[in-house]
Amino acid sequence: GQSLEQPSEVTAVEGAIVQINCTYQTSGFYGLSWYQQHDGGAPTFLSYNGLDGLEETGRFSSFLSRSDSYGYLLLQELQMKDSASYFCAARVYNQGGKLIFGQGTELSVKP
Amino acid sequence: DAGITQSPRHKVTETGTPVTLRCHQTENHRYMYWYRQDPGHGLRLIHYSYGVKDTDKGEVSDGYSVSRSKTEDFLLTLESATSSQTSVYFCAISETITSGPSTDTQYFGPGTRLTVL
């Protein structure tokens, strides 16, 4: 089957750095996306890795290693507003560009 | 923000009744998707569309049908609602599915919370 695994919960303090890992097992994989969702609202796009390596977007970075079927999202200088659920999602070839989502990691940022 | 609306935003219905959810976009994007979100399952694809009148099944399509007669509208129908279809339903759109992240990113609507009693 096709699946993505990520931790269910992560807790960190304001100003810290946190890493959310994602391992995947999918056929036709061609990239890994990350989405943020606040309190059941609309998921919003954060980052995408189509190639191995690190992509940086402000305080957020994302990494992909195809050989290890592994990626992570790195959040720096954590703020209270970063408390949300974070989903990794695999993009799959030739299936309408569909995304296969992990179950999500709930990040709690404490003062 | 991408112009995506969903209607209704909340609905309570009874088992056995038909229900139609609507997704409307103003971006003229070719691809549209319906997902459901349940605790512990993340988002799961129900159906998707790659053009007007072109649709295909996702991973949890049983009990659902879709239609797309216009670029801007993608309808999800529960033929005979069951309690297991109580969920939050999200619509998403993307411009392309090529390897360019700026164009094949999926943008999500605000969601519809459906309760089947």
Side-chain angles (χ1 to χ4, degrees), chain A residues 78-95:
Chain A
L78 280 173
Q79 302 175 8
M80 298 297 290
K81 66 178 182 179
D82 297 329
S83 291
S85 292
Y86 293 84
F87 295 88
C88 57
R91 294 191 189 177
V92 181
Y93 275 114
N94 299 327
Q95 294 185 50

Side-chain angles (χ1 to χ4, degrees), chain B residues 73-88:
Chain B
D73 289 326
F74 193 31
L75 304 180
L76 177 71
T77 297
L78 290 66
E79 306 289 349
S80 177
T82 67
S83 59
S84 65
Q85 293 176 312
T86 292
S87 187
V88 180

